[in-house]
Structure formats: structure tokens, C-alpha cells
Amino acid sequence: MPWYEKGLKFKCTECGKCCGGAPGYVWLTNSDIQRLSEHLNISEDELIKKYCRQVGNRISLKERAVNYNCIFLVDSRCSVYEGRPTQCRTYPFWGKNVASKRAWEETSLECEGINSPQADLIPLSVIRKKLQEEE
Ligand code: SF4
Ligand code: SF4
């Protein structure tokens, strides 16, 4: 059993800190592109042209040059929350973040939703599902 077998405490406050402030990538899978274009009610081609960038053979969301914020971060909130990509849906339950208790504690320094007083206990089954989605 993993060290987090009894679950982990987390509730997103939608603070937006994981959505910018430093250079990074929000990778999009084909299903992410489909979901996001449907959410925005635009074609996949339009989504890619307006909001994405090609990095090697992969597609990432654009970020703003001035502060590296994700192009969809508006007033510190995700403006496409329901249609957001898998990478965003699964954070902070990424393999590297749950690799050890220490890694999780370090992630909590970046994500205020971890171990906050309002946090819910996320059960192992949900964590495992998110880890699978993230792969
Ligand atoms: S840093 Fe954590 S609490 Fe803040 S928006 Fe991201 S996932 Fe939510
Ligand atoms: S799509 Fe939304 S949740 Fe994902 S990085 Fe951009 S603003 Fe944040």
C-alpha cells in the first residue's frame, strides 16, 4: 500500500497559483483539445491557433509573456474551469508530488489547498484514478 493509503487532505481554493507566475507547460491531449474546444464552443483548429503553442511534437497552452500566467487565467481564476485540461484536473495528485510524504509536504508549500483547514479527505481510490489520468 502507498504511504497515502488513508487518503490525502486537499480542496482547491481556486487561488490560481498553479496556473502561472513562472514559465511552464500545460500539455494538451487530443481529448483535452476536444473537451476545451467544446467548452469554448469553437473549433479545435481555432482553439489551437488562438490559445495553444506547438512545443516539439506536443501542444501546450499559451502563457502571457508579461508574467507567464496561463492564457486562461483571468483575475486569478481559471476562466475555463469546467473544460480545463487533464493536467490541471489531476493537480496536485501527480506522481512526483505523491512520490513520498516529503514530496507532498513540499507541494503543499506551492498549493494552499493541501492540508488546509477546509480540505476534504481525498480517498485512495480517487487519488489512484487521478494518477492514472495524469500518466
Ligand atoms: S495552487 Fe492548489 S489551491 Fe491554488 S488553484 Fe492550484 S490546485 Fe487550487
Ligand atoms: S487551464 Fe485553467 S486550471 Fe489550467 S493552468 Fe490554465 S488557468 Fe490554470
Side-chain angles (χ1 to χ4, degrees):
M1 277 292 188
W3 68 270
Y4 47 84
E5 64 176 306
K6 294 199 170 111
L8 291 170
K9 288 189 75 183
F10 170 71
K11 184 170 193 172
C12 181
T13 63
E14 297 183 36
C15 70
K17 281 189 201 134
C18 58
C19 305
Y25 300 101
V26 181
W27 302 115
L28 301 186
T29 63
N30 288 340
S31 47
D32 287 330
I33 290 169
Q34 187 183 356
R35 180 174 48 230
L36 197 45
S37 62
E38 282 171 6
H39 178 78
L40 291 168
N41 205 19
I42 59 176
S43 71
E44 294 185 9
D45 283 348
E46 195 178 350
L47 173 83
I48 290 169
K49 203 168 160 190
K50 268 185 159 168
Y51 301 110
C52 302
R53 57 192 160 134
Q54 182 95 30
V55 185
N57 58 0
R58 302 168 80 187
I59 304 277
S60 175
L61 291 180
K62 284 182 182 172
E63 57 189 16
R64 298 188 192 281
V66 62
N67 52 13
Y68 302 111
N69 283 352
C70 174
I71 192 152
F72 289 124
L73 190 67
V74 178
D75 296 331
S76 302
R77 291 275 186 281
C78 177
S79 60
V80 293
Y81 196 76
E82 291 304 317
R84 70 197 188 287
T86 305
Q87 183 177 322
C88 314
R89 291 170 183 273
T90 55
Y91 185 82
F93 301 101
W94 294 351
K96 69 184 178 74
N97 295 343
V98 300
S100 65
K101 197 168 179 191
R102 184 177 175 154
W104 184 247
E105 295 299 334
E106 281 172 8
T107 307
S108 76
L109 302 177
E110 298 161 8
C111 171
E112 66 180 30
I114 294 175
N115 296 332
S116 74
Q118 295 78 26
D120 300 319
L121 184 65
I122 310 298
L124 179 60
S125 57
V126 173
I127 297 168
R128 281 194 162 142
K129 195 158 173 276
K130 285 184 180 278
L131 287 168
Q132 275 169 4
E133 279 177 52
E134 186 238 339
E135 275 171 7

